[in-house]
Amino acid sequence: CGPTLVAPTLQPLMQREDGGVTDLLRAALAEAFLTLSADGETLTLEEQRRWLVAVNKEEGRGSEWRAAAAAREVRGSDSLDLDAFVAVYEAEVAQGKFWGVEHDLRVLRGEGVAQQGAPPFTATFDYLYCSDAIEVLGVRAPLDRGEPRAEALLKGESWLPNEWHASDHLPVGAALAFAPKRSGSE
């Protein structure tokens, strides 16, 4: 049926073998921090609010929001410095949230660390299962291989989510019907 997840290959760009973040990611995060910080040293509460609403679309939402609040509490200060900002994303990377970090970088600095044209990560995570009691009338392929946007995904020229598909998973669909009862069955 084909892949149901098509996304940039990000882990080697963001995470070293020892689990720490790469220099590439650290530099991208430092650049993002500078776009947010008026003084280049810290993020005020208002600058943090702008950052977190930009990436999560509303106040109080997202693991970044919770991590920033925890960092403020540990620091005993309302401001966050670059190290605290990077630590938020180190935790995201440690949890395997590479696509979330890529999203945030794209929002904050206009680009992430994904490399245009690199082969994408593809996998089939989504399935439909049915029993003999169900008749499959038709199946929708997750990607129309002849469609230009699908081809761009498979070549690594575009990624999910994007402007035409809001999820990192492609839809799985089928038309199903109850199978006719077999003679002799109850």
Side-chain angles (χ1 to χ4, degrees):
C1 185
T4 61
L5 178 73
V6 179
T9 302
L10 296 172
Q11 185 172 6
L13 299 173
M14 293 185 178
Q15 190 175 43
R16 297 186 319 248
E17 292 281 329
D18 66 3
V21 298
T22 63
D23 291 341
L24 174 67
L25 179 57
R26 190 172 299 282
L29 290 168
E31 186 179 317
F33 179 86
L34 291 174
T35 67
L36 296 164
S37 174
D39 68 5
E41 300 291 324
T42 61
L43 295 178
T44 65
L45 270 177
E46 178 54 29
E47 290 165 340
Q48 292 171 57
R49 190 194 70 73
R50 278 196 348 261
W51 155 44
L52 296 163
V53 169
V55 299
N56 292 314
K57 304 297 183 218
E58 63 184 67
E59 290 190 40
R61 183 172 181 256
S63 54
E64 301 95 338
W65 189 280
R66 292 183 295 278
R72 286 191 303 271
E73 188 172 321
V74 166
R75 291 170 53 88
S77 171
D78 284 343
S79 66
L80 296 180
D81 63 10
L82 175 60
D83 289 340
F85 179 78
V86 169
V88 168
Y89 287 102
E90 285 175 329
E92 296 288 297
V93 167
Q95 294 172 37
K97 297 179 180 179
F98 310 110
W99 298 304
V101 174
E102 179 73 4
H103 165 269
D104 291 5
L105 289 171
R106 289 181 189 186
V107 168
L108 297 172
R109 60 189 280 265
E111 65 179 335
V113 297
Q115 299 166 338
Q116 194 78 11
F121 170 81
T122 61
T124 304
F125 287 121
D126 305 293
Y127 296 89
L128 292 173
Y129 295 95
C130 62
S131 69
D132 291 341
I134 303 293
E135 181 180 350
V136 177
L137 303 175
V139 176
R140 177 180 179 212
L143 284 174
D144 177 0
R145 299 264 179 182
E147 209 267 315
R149 294 186 298 194
E151 292 301 317
L153 279 176
L154 295 172
K155 291 178 184 172
E157 297 167 357
S158 177
W159 303 292
L160 296 178
N162 59 32
E163 65 281 349
W164 60 270
H165 190 72
S167 174
D168 59 354
H169 288 254
L170 293 163
V172 176
L176 308 171
F178 288 107
K181 287 193 175 198
R182 295 185 210 140
S183 60
S185 64
E186 308 229 0

